[in-house]
Amino acid sequence: MAAAGVRRRCLLWAAVVAHVVVSGAGFVEDLDESFKENRKDDIWLVDFYAPWCGHCKKLEPVWNEVGIEMKNMGSPVKVGKMDATSFSSIASEFGVRGYPTIKLLKGDLAYNYRGPRTKDDIIEFANRVAGPLIRPLPSQHMFEHVQKRHRVLFVYVGGESPLKEKYIEVASELIVYTYFFSASEDVLPEYVTLPELPAVVVFKDGTYFVYDEYEDGDLSSWINRERFQGYLNVDGFTLYELGDTGKLVAIAVIDDKNSSVEHTRLKSIIQEVARDYRDHFHRDFQFGHMDGNDYINSLLMDDLTIPTIVVLNTSNQQYFLPDRHIENTEDMVQFINNILDGTAEAQGGDGLLQRIKRIIYDAKSTVVSVFKSSPLLGCFLFGLPLGVISIMCYGICTADTDGGVDEHEAAKKENGDRELTDEGSEEEQEEEKNGKYTELSDGELKQKDIMEKKKD
């Protein structure tokens, strides 16, 4: 009875899950060629997919959840999906190059989503891009509320100005990454002191920093650099995003589950440098830690033992390792200064040899991963082609060898026949010899007769 009850509950739960998936699919519209003409009146969040793509299939249930959530929120954003292989001309117009590709289409603009493929992250992206480009903060209460929700907060302070026009222009480009706000000076916290107005301020890491055109350069580059906290929990996706900043990334590679002194000490050193030496290094360095060394090993094509510290140059794939043990903050600061002045040895890079090494490493990693996950499949995928190639090579080599022997024997026989033709048989040679002897004997007899006649 108990087993039957458990079985019924499992079946009921499966039915509920299936109902949710099916109903979620109802909030996601299947788009066709008519979408090109009808889309401009609405804001669309579209998944361009291929039926055979494994990543697309993995995204499908998440996408259905996005459709349900956006509908329940009353969002003006419509959620759809399009088979990019069936409607390739439309997909090409929107710049689809791979699958799946997620885009938010707003009027004539198309915004690419490059974040994690989770429901919450996708919805946050859609709400951010679909809303106003610059969101006003009319009161201190609203400012405090927004600041609690955002770890990094960009605010334009002041009235109309060329700086505001530039701020709006940058926002239209970088809205896919972060929010942009505006406020009057009296809305800001009392501890904020601005040297002049108008100004662009970023609030993060428990403090604030004011944009200075002469020291920080282009506003777009400054916002792109400052949209990250000073210290991060780094993963593969974060490294990919940090590549746009042009910064070097100093990472403590540790095991988060390991509470030993060495692991916590290296993490603390990086945190202290990020906090206490921000004014010295924040324009050139991003700081953080990474849990585990699997990703970093594959990136560097090396085998780093943890805990350790590595500095990555994401623009050219170079990396730096300390030449001695990092004992304290001063050692880390010295290591960073050595990198800046060029005395630290750079490894890796994107040269020809490194590219060849990358190809070999990736091929080796693929083969190893296939054999580890499914040995039989690995034997079939790699053993069968090798076997066929071996048989073909053997056949070619064997055919060449036999042909060479046959040609040699034929040539030998032909030469022998030619010798027999030129020299004749032994009997013919003997007859020729006798003929010559007979011919000479008759001549001598004739000469003897002539001499006798003369004597007479």
Side-chain angles (χ1 to χ4, degrees):
M1 291 294 292
V6 171
R7 189 179 298 110
R8 282 196 297 271
R9 286 194 295 271
C10 291
L11 291 174
L12 178 61
W13 176 249
V16 171
V17 172
H19 173 72
V20 170
V21 172
V22 172
S23 61
F27 293 114
V28 177
E29 296 189 33
D30 281 306
L31 306 175
D32 54 26
E33 64 275 356
S34 64
F35 174 71
K36 181 180 177 181
E37 300 298 328
N38 301 331
R39 73 172 186 86
K40 292 187 178 180
D41 295 332
D42 298 296
I43 302 174
W44 282 91
L45 183 65
V46 182
D47 168 29
F48 294 90
Y49 71 95
W52 43 262
C53 171
H55 295 292
C56 301
K57 294 177 181 178
K58 187 177 180 181
L59 176 64
E60 184 175 3
V62 176
W63 201 248
N64 290 335
E65 293 178 4
V66 170
I68 296 173
E69 188 74 16
M70 298 295 283
K71 189 70 174 179
N72 292 339
M73 293 168 54
S75 172
V77 179
K78 293 186 175 182
V79 181
K81 62 180 180 178
M82 176 178 285
D83 183 350
T85 60
S86 298
F87 306 102
S88 57
S89 60
I90 298 178
S92 297
E93 288 185 22
F94 289 119
V96 176
R97 299 289 182 267
Y99 311 113
T101 293
I102 298 173
K103 288 178 176 285
L104 188 135
L105 308 176
K106 183 180 178 182
D108 294 328
L109 300 176
Y111 296 92
N112 289 326
Y113 176 68
R114 303 198 304 177
R117 293 171 187 156
T118 64
K119 182 192 74 171
D120 292 340
D121 287 304
I122 294 173
I123 290 175
E124 198 270 344
F125 162 81
N127 290 333
R128 181 173 68 248
V129 178
L133 198 60
I134 309 295
R135 290 168 164 82
L137 300 174
S139 64
Q140 290 184 355
H141 176 73
M142 180 62 72
F143 182 92
E144 293 171 0
H145 173 72
V146 170
Q147 190 176 21
K148 290 178 181 178
R149 294 185 56 191
H150 299 276
R151 296 176 179 176
V152 179
L153 183 67
F154 290 98
V155 182
Y156 171 83
V157 185
E160 298 298 324
S161 68
L163 180 60
K164 185 175 182 179
E165 294 178 2
K166 182 64 176 178
Y167 184 72
I168 294 173
E169 179 185 338
V170 173
S172 64
E173 175 190 354
L174 300 180
I175 189 67
V176 294
Y177 299 119
T178 187
Y179 286 91
F180 292 85
F181 298 89
S182 64
S184 59
E185 189 175 11
D186 57 352
V187 169
L188 302 181
E190 294 181 358
Y191 64 83
V192 176
T193 301
L194 299 179
E196 62 180 0
L197 292 178
V200 177
V201 187
V202 58
F203 294 86
K204 65 176 186 178
D205 301 330
T207 184
Y208 70 96
F209 306 96
V210 182
Y211 167 67
D212 187 326
E213 182 178 1
Y214 298 101
E215 291 187 5
D216 300 316
D218 180 62
L219 179 62
S220 177
S221 300
W222 179 77
I223 291 178
N224 198 33
R225 292 194 306 267
E226 295 294 339
R227 63 188 177 91
F228 298 97
Q229 292 178 278
Y231 183 88
L232 298 171
N233 186 350
V234 180
D235 56 16
F237 175 74
T238 308
L239 277 178
Y240 175 75
E241 281 202 312
L242 287 172
D244 295 333
T245 66
K247 290 184 177 183
L248 300 175
V249 187
I251 304 173
V253 185
I254 62 173
D255 182 0
D256 274 338
K257 299 182 179 64
N258 192 325
S259 58
S260 65
V261 175
E262 186 65 14
H263 286 258
T264 56
R265 184 179 62 82
L266 288 182
K267 182 178 178 180
S268 297
I269 289 174
I270 295 292
Q271 289 174 329
E272 289 175 12
V273 173
R275 181 186 66 247
D276 299 339
Y277 291 84
R278 173 190 157 80
D279 293 340
H280 295 83
F281 301 133
H282 81 279
R283 287 185 176 86
D284 301 305
F285 282 85
Q286 176 66 51
F287 299 93
H289 78 274
M290 177 176 285
D291 181 20
N293 61 347
D294 291 340
Y295 182 83
I296 203 73
N297 283 346
S298 64
L299 184 66
L300 305 184
M301 296 180 289
D302 203 345
D303 188 15
L304 298 182
T305 57
I306 57 176
T308 189
I309 288 176
V310 60
V311 176
L312 303 175
N313 187 337
T314 55
S315 62
N316 61 8
Q317 300 180 23
Q318 288 184 340
Y319 64 97
F320 302 85
L321 296 174
D323 56 0
R324 58 193 178 90
H325 194 61
I326 302 295
E327 294 288 348
N328 48 46
T329 304
E330 288 72 22
D331 289 343
M332 186 66 202
V333 171
Q334 182 62 48
F335 177 43
I336 292 175
N337 286 326
N338 290 343
I339 295 173
L340 291 176
D341 61 25
T343 57
E345 180 184 0
Q347 303 182 48
D350 55 0
L352 179 60
L353 293 178
Q354 285 297 124
R355 294 179 184 179
I356 295 174
K357 183 180 177 181
R358 168 59 63 184
I359 293 173
I360 296 173
Y361 181 86
D362 289 343
K364 178 183 175 182
S365 300
T366 301
V367 173
V368 171
S369 63
V370 169
F371 273 99
K372 282 185 177 180
S373 60
S374 179
L376 292 178
L377 179 62
C379 292
F380 176 77
L381 290 177
F382 300 104
L384 183 61
L386 289 175
V388 172
I389 294 173
S390 300
I391 293 173
M392 292 176 62
C393 292
Y394 176 78
I396 293 172
C397 294
T398 304
D400 290 343
T401 303
D402 292 344
V405 173
D406 293 340
E407 291 176 1
H408 178 71
E409 292 181 353
K412 184 177 180 180
K413 182 177 180 181
E414 184 179 352
N415 291 334
D417 292 342
R418 189 176 299 161
E419 289 176 0
L420 290 175
T421 303
D422 294 341
E423 296 179 3
S425 64
E426 293 181 359
E427 294 179 356
E428 290 176 347
Q429 292 180 15
E430 187 67 26
E431 290 178 0
E432 184 178 355
K433 183 177 179 180
N434 292 336
K436 287 181 180 181
Y437 177 78
T438 303
E439 185 176 352
L440 290 173
S441 298
D442 291 342
E444 291 177 352
L445 290 174
K446 287 179 181 180
Q447 190 176 3
K448 186 176 180 180
D449 291 338
I450 292 172
M451 292 295 294
E452 289 178 353
K453 286 180 181 180
K454 285 183 179 182
K455 287 181 180 180
D456 293 341

